[in-house]
Every structure is written in structure tokens, then in C-alpha cells.
mmCIF file of all heavy atoms in Angstrom:
data_model
loop_
_atom_site.group_PDB
_atom_site.id
_atom_site.type_symbol
_atom_site.label_atom_id
_atom_site.label_comp_id
_atom_site.label_asym_id
_atom_site.label_seq_id
_atom_site.Cartn_x
_atom_site.Cartn_y
_atom_site.Cartn_z
ATOM 1 N N ARG F 290 -29.291 37.059 -41.909
ATOM 2 C CA ARG F 290 -30.298 36.717 -42.911
ATOM 3 C C ARG F 290 -30.963 37.979 -43.427
ATOM 4 O O ARG F 290 -31.097 38.949 -42.680
ATOM 5 C CB ARG F 290 -31.402 35.857 -42.308
ATOM 6 C CG ARG F 290 -30.954 34.538 -41.793
ATOM 7 C CD ARG F 290 -32.160 33.769 -41.351
ATOM 8 N NE ARG F 290 -32.402 34.087 -39.943
ATOM 9 C CZ ARG F 290 -33.371 33.568 -39.231
ATOM 10 N NH1 ARG F 290 -34.227 32.752 -39.774
ATOM 11 N NH2 ARG F 290 -33.521 33.881 -37.968
ATOM 12 N N PRO F 291 -31.413 37.944 -44.670
ATOM 13 C CA PRO F 291 -32.188 39.099 -45.154
ATOM 14 C C PRO F 291 -33.532 39.142 -44.440
ATOM 15 O O PRO F 291 -34.005 38.120 -43.946
ATOM 16 C CB PRO F 291 -32.367 38.831 -46.648
ATOM 17 C CG PRO F 291 -32.159 37.371 -46.809
ATOM 18 C CD PRO F 291 -31.252 36.916 -45.683
ATOM 19 N N PRO F 292 -34.146 40.309 -44.325
ATOM 20 C CA PRO F 292 -35.460 40.390 -43.682
ATOM 21 C C PRO F 292 -36.483 39.554 -44.448
ATOM 22 O O PRO F 292 -36.323 39.312 -45.650
ATOM 23 C CB PRO F 292 -35.809 41.883 -43.744
ATOM 24 C CG PRO F 292 -34.897 42.465 -44.736
ATOM 25 C CD PRO F 292 -33.691 41.573 -44.852
ATOM 26 N N PHE F 293 -37.502 39.106 -43.731
ATOM 27 C CA PHE F 293 -38.541 38.271 -44.340
ATOM 28 C C PHE F 293 -39.165 38.982 -45.538
ATOM 29 O O PHE F 293 -39.417 38.382 -46.565
ATOM 30 C CB PHE F 293 -39.597 37.932 -43.295
ATOM 31 C CG PHE F 293 -40.662 37.011 -43.799
ATOM 32 C CD1 PHE F 293 -40.373 35.691 -44.080
ATOM 33 C CD2 PHE F 293 -41.941 37.467 -43.996
ATOM 34 C CE1 PHE F 293 -41.364 34.837 -44.541
ATOM 35 C CE2 PHE F 293 -42.936 36.634 -44.459
ATOM 36 C CZ PHE F 293 -42.644 35.306 -44.730
ATOM 37 N N PHE F 294 -39.406 40.259 -45.413
ATOM 38 C CA PHE F 294 -39.956 41.049 -46.511
ATOM 39 C C PHE F 294 -39.014 42.191 -46.807
ATOM 40 O O PHE F 294 -38.659 42.955 -45.923
ATOM 41 C CB PHE F 294 -41.339 41.627 -46.162
ATOM 42 C CG PHE F 294 -42.381 40.584 -46.036
ATOM 43 C CD1 PHE F 294 -42.832 40.183 -44.795
ATOM 44 C CD2 PHE F 294 -42.915 39.984 -47.153
ATOM 45 C CE1 PHE F 294 -43.779 39.207 -44.670
ATOM 46 C CE2 PHE F 294 -43.879 38.996 -47.043
ATOM 47 C CZ PHE F 294 -44.309 38.609 -45.801
ATOM 48 N N GLU F 295 -38.626 42.264 -48.032
ATOM 49 C CA GLU F 295 -37.829 43.406 -48.464
ATOM 50 C C GLU F 295 -38.739 44.631 -48.445
ATOM 51 O O GLU F 295 -39.940 44.517 -48.709
ATOM 52 C CB GLU F 295 -37.287 43.183 -49.880
ATOM 53 C CG GLU F 295 -36.321 42.032 -49.990
ATOM 54 C CD GLU F 295 -35.035 42.280 -49.233
ATOM 55 O OE1 GLU F 295 -34.597 43.445 -49.134
ATOM 56 O OE2 GLU F 295 -34.464 41.297 -48.712
ATOM 57 N N PRO F 296 -38.220 45.812 -48.145
ATOM 58 C CA PRO F 296 -39.065 47.012 -48.114
ATOM 59 C C PRO F 296 -39.860 47.217 -49.406
ATOM 60 O O PRO F 296 -40.995 47.641 -49.372
ATOM 61 C CB PRO F 296 -38.064 48.138 -47.889
ATOM 62 C CG PRO F 296 -36.923 47.482 -47.198
ATOM 63 C CD PRO F 296 -36.859 46.072 -47.748
ATOM 64 N N SER F 297 -39.289 46.878 -50.542
ATOM 65 C CA SER F 297 -40.002 47.075 -51.807
ATOM 66 C C SER F 297 -41.184 46.113 -51.933
ATOM 67 O O SER F 297 -42.130 46.381 -52.663
ATOM 68 C CB SER F 297 -39.061 46.898 -52.989
ATOM 69 O OG SER F 297 -38.556 45.569 -52.993
ATOM 70 N N ASN F 298 -41.148 44.980 -51.236
ATOM 71 C CA ASN F 298 -42.228 44.002 -51.312
ATOM 72 C C ASN F 298 -43.256 44.167 -50.197
ATOM 73 O O ASN F 298 -44.318 43.581 -50.254
ATOM 74 C CB ASN F 298 -41.660 42.584 -51.245
ATOM 75 C CG ASN F 298 -40.814 42.257 -52.441
ATOM 76 O OD1 ASN F 298 -40.992 42.843 -53.509
ATOM 77 N ND2 ASN F 298 -39.885 41.340 -52.280
ATOM 78 N N LEU F 299 -42.938 44.928 -49.180
ATOM 79 C CA LEU F 299 -43.841 45.082 -48.040
ATOM 80 C C LEU F 299 -45.165 45.707 -48.461
ATOM 81 O O LEU F 299 -46.238 45.236 -48.057
ATOM 82 C CB LEU F 299 -43.183 45.911 -46.942
ATOM 83 C CG LEU F 299 -43.995 46.073 -45.660
ATOM 84 C CD1 LEU F 299 -44.321 44.711 -45.060
ATOM 85 C CD2 LEU F 299 -43.239 46.927 -44.669
ATOM 86 N N SER F 300 -45.115 46.715 -49.277
ATOM 87 C CA SER F 300 -46.341 47.368 -49.740
ATOM 88 C C SER F 300 -47.214 46.395 -50.532
ATOM 89 O O SER F 300 -48.430 46.341 -50.339
ATOM 90 C CB SER F 300 -45.995 48.586 -50.597
ATOM 91 O OG SER F 300 -47.160 49.171 -51.110
ATOM 92 N N GLU F 301 -46.597 45.621 -51.385
ATOM 93 C CA GLU F 301 -47.341 44.630 -52.167
ATOM 94 C C GLU F 301 -47.957 43.576 -51.244
ATOM 95 O O GLU F 301 -49.104 43.173 -51.417
ATOM 96 C CB GLU F 301 -46.422 43.961 -53.189
ATOM 97 C CG GLU F 301 -47.139 42.959 -54.068
ATOM 98 C CD GLU F 301 -46.219 42.313 -55.093
ATOM 99 O OE1 GLU F 301 -45.110 42.813 -55.321
ATOM 100 O OE2 GLU F 301 -46.645 41.304 -55.668
ATOM 101 N N PHE F 302 -47.191 43.138 -50.248
ATOM 102 C CA PHE F 302 -47.692 42.162 -49.284
ATOM 103 C C PHE F 302 -48.912 42.705 -48.541
ATOM 104 O O PHE F 302 -49.924 42.017 -48.391
ATOM 105 C CB PHE F 302 -46.580 41.793 -48.288
ATOM 106 C CG PHE F 302 -47.069 40.928 -47.159
ATOM 107 C CD1 PHE F 302 -47.335 39.585 -47.360
ATOM 108 C CD2 PHE F 302 -47.274 41.465 -45.893
ATOM 109 C CE1 PHE F 302 -47.790 38.787 -46.330
ATOM 110 C CE2 PHE F 302 -47.725 40.674 -44.856
ATOM 111 C CZ PHE F 302 -47.987 39.324 -45.066
ATOM 112 N N ILE F 303 -48.838 43.942 -48.085
ATOM 113 C CA ILE F 303 -49.950 44.561 -47.363
ATOM 114 C C ILE F 303 -51.174 44.667 -48.266
ATOM 115 O O ILE F 303 -52.295 44.364 -47.840
ATOM 116 C CB ILE F 303 -49.539 45.936 -46.800
ATOM 117 C CG1 ILE F 303 -48.504 45.737 -45.685
ATOM 118 C CG2 ILE F 303 -50.760 46.714 -46.290
ATOM 119 C CD1 ILE F 303 -47.838 47.010 -45.218
ATOM 120 N N ASP F 304 -50.981 45.071 -49.514
ATOM 121 C CA ASP F 304 -52.093 45.153 -50.468
ATOM 122 C C ASP F 304 -52.754 43.789 -50.670
ATOM 123 O O ASP F 304 -53.981 43.686 -50.709
ATOM 124 C CB ASP F 304 -51.620 45.694 -51.810
ATOM 125 C CG ASP F 304 -51.299 47.168 -51.785
ATOM 126 O OD1 ASP F 304 -51.676 47.851 -50.806
ATOM 127 O OD2 ASP F 304 -50.670 47.649 -52.748
ATOM 128 N N LEU F 305 -51.948 42.749 -50.808
ATOM 129 C CA LEU F 305 -52.491 41.407 -51.012
ATOM 130 C C LEU F 305 -53.267 40.929 -49.794
ATOM 131 O O LEU F 305 -54.341 40.331 -49.925
ATOM 132 C CB LEU F 305 -51.367 40.419 -51.339
ATOM 133 C CG LEU F 305 -50.713 40.577 -52.706
ATOM 134 C CD1 LEU F 305 -49.480 39.684 -52.822
ATOM 135 C CD2 LEU F 305 -51.705 40.262 -53.806
ATOM 136 N N GLN F 306 -52.753 41.200 -48.611
ATOM 137 C CA GLN F 306 -53.433 40.787 -47.384
ATOM 138 C C GLN F 306 -54.751 41.552 -47.200
ATOM 139 O O GLN F 306 -55.770 40.961 -46.838
ATOM 140 C CB GLN F 306 -52.525 40.981 -46.163
ATOM 141 C CG GLN F 306 -51.333 40.052 -46.153
ATOM 142 C CD GLN F 306 -51.742 38.587 -46.215
ATOM 143 O OE1 GLN F 306 -52.576 38.125 -45.448
ATOM 144 N NE2 GLN F 306 -51.174 37.862 -47.151
ATOM 145 N N ALA F 307 -54.720 42.850 -47.450
ATOM 146 C CA ALA F 307 -55.945 43.657 -47.335
ATOM 147 C C ALA F 307 -56.993 43.182 -48.334
ATOM 148 O O ALA F 307 -58.176 43.051 -47.999
ATOM 149 C CB ALA F 307 -55.627 45.129 -47.549
ATOM 150 N N SER F 308 -56.571 42.895 -49.557
ATOM 151 C CA SER F 308 -57.493 42.409 -50.581
ATOM 152 C C SER F 308 -58.110 41.073 -50.164
ATOM 153 O O SER F 308 -59.308 40.858 -50.340
ATOM 154 C CB SER F 308 -56.765 42.262 -51.916
ATOM 155 O OG SER F 308 -57.629 41.762 -52.892
ATOM 156 N N ALA F 309 -57.303 40.186 -49.611
ATOM 157 C CA ALA F 309 -57.811 38.884 -49.170
ATOM 158 C C ALA F 309 -58.863 39.050 -48.076
ATOM 159 O O ALA F 309 -59.875 38.338 -48.065
ATOM 160 C CB ALA F 309 -56.653 38.015 -48.677
ATOM 161 N N ILE F 310 -58.645 39.978 -47.173
ATOM 162 C CA ILE F 310 -59.613 40.217 -46.093
ATOM 163 C C ILE F 310 -60.908 40.784 -46.665
ATOM 164 O O ILE F 310 -62.005 40.313 -46.350
ATOM 165 C CB ILE F 310 -59.013 41.155 -45.028
ATOM 166 C CG1 ILE F 310 -57.901 40.426 -44.269
ATOM 167 C CG2 ILE F 310 -60.094 41.654 -44.067
ATOM 168 C CD1 ILE F 310 -57.053 41.317 -43.404
ATOM 169 N N ILE F 311 -60.804 41.781 -47.528
ATOM 170 C CA ILE F 311 -61.988 42.415 -48.123
ATOM 171 C C ILE F 311 -62.783 41.407 -48.948
ATOM 172 O O ILE F 311 -64.010 41.405 -48.926
ATOM 173 C CB ILE F 311 -61.586 43.632 -48.989
ATOM 174 C CG1 ILE F 311 -60.941 44.708 -48.129
ATOM 175 C CG2 ILE F 311 -62.775 44.172 -49.779
ATOM 176 C CD1 ILE F 311 -61.845 45.337 -47.111
ATOM 177 N N ARG F 312 -62.095 40.527 -49.668
ATOM 178 C CA ARG F 312 -62.783 39.546 -50.518
ATOM 179 C C ARG F 312 -63.625 38.576 -49.692
ATOM 180 O O ARG F 312 -64.518 37.941 -50.228
ATOM 181 C CB ARG F 312 -61.781 38.766 -51.364
ATOM 182 C CG ARG F 312 -60.969 39.608 -52.278
ATOM 183 C CD ARG F 312 -61.325 39.737 -53.686
ATOM 184 N NE ARG F 312 -62.082 38.743 -54.339
ATOM 185 C CZ ARG F 312 -62.928 39.046 -55.321
ATOM 186 N NH1 ARG F 312 -63.095 40.297 -55.687
ATOM 187 N NH2 ARG F 312 -63.588 38.105 -55.940
ATOM 188 N N GLN F 313 -63.343 38.447 -48.419
ATOM 189 C CA GLN F 313 -64.131 37.565 -47.560
ATOM 190 C C GLN F 313 -65.348 38.273 -46.974
ATOM 191 O O GLN F 313 -66.202 37.629 -46.365
ATOM 192 C CB GLN F 313 -63.259 37.036 -46.421
ATOM 193 C CG GLN F 313 -62.149 36.140 -46.893
ATOM 194 C CD GLN F 313 -61.243 35.697 -45.757
ATOM 195 O OE1 GLN F 313 -61.575 35.833 -44.589
ATOM 196 N NE2 GLN F 313 -60.087 35.179 -46.105
ATOM 197 N N MET F 314 -65.430 39.581 -47.155
ATOM 198 C CA MET F 314 -66.515 40.366 -46.565
ATOM 199 C C MET F 314 -67.684 40.502 -47.535
ATOM 200 O O MET F 314 -67.505 40.566 -48.746
ATOM 201 C CB MET F 314 -66.002 41.751 -46.187
ATOM 202 C CG MET F 314 -64.921 41.718 -45.124
ATOM 203 S SD MET F 314 -64.168 43.328 -44.837
ATOM 204 C CE MET F 314 -65.472 44.136 -43.922
ATOM 205 N N SER F 315 -68.885 40.571 -46.995
ATOM 206 C CA SER F 315 -70.087 40.796 -47.800
ATOM 207 C C SER F 315 -70.214 42.297 -48.082
ATOM 208 O O SER F 315 -69.571 43.119 -47.412
ATOM 209 C CB SER F 315 -71.313 40.316 -47.031
ATOM 210 O OG SER F 315 -71.551 41.162 -45.923
ATOM 211 N N PRO F 316 -71.066 42.669 -49.064
ATOM 212 C CA PRO F 316 -71.310 44.098 -49.283
ATOM 213 C C PRO F 316 -71.806 44.808 -48.018
ATOM 214 O O PRO F 316 -71.433 45.952 -47.755
ATOM 215 C CB PRO F 316 -72.366 44.123 -50.387
ATOM 216 C CG PRO F 316 -72.128 42.861 -51.149
ATOM 217 C CD PRO F 316 -71.724 41.857 -50.087
ATOM 218 N N LEU F 317 -72.597 44.120 -47.211
ATOM 219 C CA LEU F 317 -73.075 44.700 -45.949
ATOM 220 C C LEU F 317 -71.893 44.994 -45.021
ATOM 221 O O LEU F 317 -71.787 46.091 -44.465
ATOM 222 C CB LEU F 317 -74.062 43.748 -45.265
ATOM 223 C CG LEU F 317 -74.527 44.164 -43.868
ATOM 224 C CD1 LEU F 317 -75.300 45.474 -43.914
ATOM 225 C CD2 LEU F 317 -75.372 43.051 -43.247
ATOM 226 N N GLU F 318 -70.998 44.031 -44.869
ATOM 227 C CA GLU F 318 -69.846 44.215 -43.983
ATOM 228 C C GLU F 318 -68.910 45.314 -44.488
ATOM 229 O O GLU F 318 -68.399 46.113 -43.703
ATOM 230 C CB GLU F 318 -69.071 42.902 -43.842
ATOM 231 C CG GLU F 318 -69.849 41.831 -43.102
ATOM 232 C CD GLU F 318 -69.218 40.457 -43.213
ATOM 233 O OE1 GLU F 318 -68.628 40.121 -44.259
ATOM 234 O OE2 GLU F 318 -69.331 39.710 -42.223
ATOM 235 N N ILE F 319 -68.712 45.370 -45.788
ATOM 236 C CA ILE F 319 -67.849 46.411 -46.368
ATOM 237 C C ILE F 319 -68.462 47.784 -46.105
ATOM 238 O O ILE F 319 -67.782 48.720 -45.689
ATOM 239 C CB ILE F 319 -67.633 46.174 -47.866
ATOM 240 C CG1 ILE F 319 -66.817 44.901 -48.079
ATOM 241 C CG2 ILE F 319 -66.928 47.371 -48.519
ATOM 242 C CD1 ILE F 319 -66.767 44.426 -49.522
ATOM 243 N N GLY F 320 -69.766 47.903 -46.361
ATOM 244 C CA GLY F 320 -70.446 49.175 -46.127
ATOM 245 C C GLY F 320 -70.394 49.601 -44.673
ATOM 246 O O GLY F 320 -70.197 50.777 -44.365
ATOM 247 N N GLN F 321 -70.559 48.645 -43.763
ATOM 248 C CA GLN F 321 -70.502 48.969 -42.337
ATOM 249 C C GLN F 321 -69.104 49.410 -41.931
ATOM 250 O O GLN F 321 -68.953 50.248 -41.051
ATOM 251 C CB GLN F 321 -70.954 47.769 -41.508
ATOM 252 C CG GLN F 321 -72.434 47.507 -41.630
ATOM 253 C CD GLN F 321 -72.868 46.209 -40.968
ATOM 254 O OE1 GLN F 321 -72.096 45.258 -40.859
ATOM 255 N NE2 GLN F 321 -74.121 46.165 -40.544
ATOM 256 N N MET F 322 -68.090 48.860 -42.576
ATOM 257 C CA MET F 322 -66.724 49.272 -42.281
ATOM 258 C C MET F 322 -66.458 50.676 -42.829
ATOM 259 O O MET F 322 -65.873 51.520 -42.153
ATOM 260 C CB MET F 322 -65.732 48.277 -42.898
ATOM 261 C CG MET F 322 -64.277 48.629 -42.643
ATOM 262 S SD MET F 322 -63.126 47.487 -43.422
ATOM 263 C CE MET F 322 -63.446 47.780 -45.150
ATOM 264 N N LEU F 323 -66.896 50.935 -44.061
ATOM 265 C CA LEU F 323 -66.661 52.241 -44.687
ATOM 266 C C LEU F 323 -67.524 53.344 -44.094
ATOM 267 O O LEU F 323 -67.100 54.500 -44.010
ATOM 268 C CB LEU F 323 -66.927 52.154 -46.196
ATOM 269 C CG LEU F 323 -65.990 51.277 -47.006
ATOM 270 C CD1 LEU F 323 -66.485 51.162 -48.442
ATOM 271 C CD2 LEU F 323 -64.578 51.824 -46.959
ATOM 272 N N HIS F 324 -68.754 53.004 -43.731
ATOM 273 C CA HIS F 324 -69.724 53.987 -43.236
ATOM 274 C C HIS F 324 -70.345 53.466 -41.937
ATOM 275 O O HIS F 324 -71.498 53.016 -41.922
ATOM 276 C CB HIS F 324 -70.816 54.219 -44.282
ATOM 277 C CG HIS F 324 -70.310 54.554 -45.640
ATOM 278 N ND1 HIS F 324 -69.721 55.761 -45.931
ATOM 279 C CD2 HIS F 324 -70.265 53.825 -46.791
ATOM 280 C CE1 HIS F 324 -69.364 55.775 -47.204
ATOM 281 N NE2 HIS F 324 -69.670 54.615 -47.736
ATOM 282 N N PRO F 325 -69.603 53.497 -40.832
ATOM 283 C CA PRO F 325 -70.088 52.875 -39.590
ATOM 284 C C PRO F 325 -71.391 53.448 -39.043
ATOM 285 O O PRO F 325 -72.099 52.771 -38.309
ATOM 286 C CB PRO F 325 -68.939 53.078 -38.602
ATOM 287 C CG PRO F 325 -68.048 54.096 -39.202
ATOM 288 C CD PRO F 325 -68.290 54.114 -40.672
ATOM 289 N N HIS F 326 -71.739 54.659 -39.406
ATOM 290 C CA HIS F 326 -72.972 55.267 -38.878
ATOM 291 C C HIS F 326 -74.118 55.225 -39.885
ATOM 292 O O HIS F 326 -75.185 55.777 -39.626
ATOM 293 C CB HIS F 326 -72.699 56.708 -38.444
ATOM 294 C CG HIS F 326 -71.627 56.781 -37.401
ATOM 295 N ND1 HIS F 326 -71.795 56.298 -36.124
ATOM 296 C CD2 HIS F 326 -70.360 57.251 -37.445
ATOM 297 C CE1 HIS F 326 -70.696 56.462 -35.432
ATOM 298 N NE2 HIS F 326 -69.796 57.044 -36.201
ATOM 299 N N ALA F 327 -73.897 54.561 -41.009
ATOM 300 C CA ALA F 327 -74.933 54.476 -42.038
ATOM 301 C C ALA F 327 -75.957 53.406 -41.672
ATOM 302 O O ALA F 327 -75.679 52.482 -40.908
ATOM 303 C CB ALA F 327 -74.306 54.147 -43.389
ATOM 304 N N GLU F 328 -77.137 53.556 -42.250
ATOM 305 C CA GLU F 328 -78.213 52.587 -42.040
ATOM 306 C C GLU F 328 -78.299 51.686 -43.269
ATOM 307 O O GLU F 328 -78.472 52.171 -44.389
ATOM 308 C CB GLU F 328 -79.540 53.337 -41.856
ATOM 309 C CG GLU F 328 -80.739 52.450 -41.758
ATOM 310 C CD GLU F 328 -82.047 53.232 -41.758
ATOM 311 O OE1 GLU F 328 -82.023 54.481 -41.817
ATOM 312 O OE2 GLU F 328 -83.100 52.580 -41.724
ATOM 313 N N ALA F 329 -78.171 50.371 -43.084
ATOM 314 C CA ALA F 329 -78.316 49.421 -44.193
ATOM 315 C C ALA F 329 -79.792 49.380 -44.592
ATOM 316 O O ALA F 329 -80.674 49.301 -43.735
ATOM 317 C CB ALA F 329 -77.840 48.041 -43.771
ATOM 318 N N ILE F 330 -80.051 49.468 -45.888
ATOM 319 C CA ILE F 330 -81.421 49.488 -46.413
ATOM 320 C C ILE F 330 -81.640 48.245 -47.272
ATOM 321 O O ILE F 330 -80.931 48.053 -48.263
ATOM 322 C CB ILE F 330 -81.671 50.745 -47.280
ATOM 323 C CG1 ILE F 330 -81.303 52.013 -46.530
ATOM 324 C CG2 ILE F 330 -83.101 50.779 -47.802
ATOM 325 C CD1 ILE F 330 -82.221 52.355 -45.401
ATOM 326 N N PRO F 331 -82.613 47.394 -46.939
ATOM 327 C CA PRO F 331 -82.921 46.246 -47.800
ATOM 328 C C PRO F 331 -83.381 46.734 -49.177
ATOM 329 O O PRO F 331 -84.013 47.794 -49.298
ATOM 330 C CB PRO F 331 -84.060 45.530 -47.076
ATOM 331 C CG PRO F 331 -84.025 46.034 -45.675
ATOM 332 C CD PRO F 331 -83.446 47.416 -45.741
ATOM 333 N N TYR F 332 -83.088 45.954 -50.196
ATOM 334 C CA TYR F 332 -83.431 46.332 -51.573
ATOM 335 C C TYR F 332 -84.899 46.742 -51.700
ATOM 336 O O TYR F 332 -85.205 47.754 -52.337
ATOM 337 C CB TYR F 332 -83.113 45.168 -52.519
ATOM 338 C CG TYR F 332 -83.510 45.435 -53.940
ATOM 339 C CD1 TYR F 332 -82.706 46.214 -54.758
ATOM 340 C CD2 TYR F 332 -84.700 44.926 -54.455
ATOM 341 C CE1 TYR F 332 -83.071 46.482 -56.070
ATOM 342 C CE2 TYR F 332 -85.064 45.182 -55.765
ATOM 343 C CZ TYR F 332 -84.261 45.964 -56.566
ATOM 344 O OH TYR F 332 -84.629 46.228 -57.858
#
């Protein structure tokens, strides 16, 4: 059988999965992931 993901589609699949995960995160969660040592400041 051919592999589940062709190598040319693997990158697209990873991008779609990463985007789906990020879209479920709040701005606070995204910031904490990008800047783990940063201090969140209320508006």
C-alpha cells in the first residue's frame, strides 16, 4: 500500500494540524507558549 501520507503532503498535514491546535488557544495561552518567562499584563 502507499504510505498514509505522501512526503509532499506531510508538510501540509503538519501545518494544518499545528494551525488547528493554535486556533483553539487563547491569546494568553499563545503568549505563554511563545514567551514562557513573560509576565501576562491585564489591559
Side-chain angles (χ1 to χ4, degrees):
R290 297 185 270 181
F293 183 70
F294 292 104
E295 296 294 328
S297 62
N298 294 335
L299 184 58
S300 177
E301 182 179 345
F302 173 75
I303 292 170
D304 288 346
L305 290 171
Q306 292 303 309
S308 178
I310 290 168
I311 297 295
R312 300 261 336 148
Q313 294 176 14
M314 297 172 75
S315 69
L317 174 63
E318 293 168 326
I319 293 169
Q321 289 172 332
M322 180 182 65
L323 294 173
H324 308 289
H326 301 292
E328 175 187 359
I330 307 290
Y332 177 80

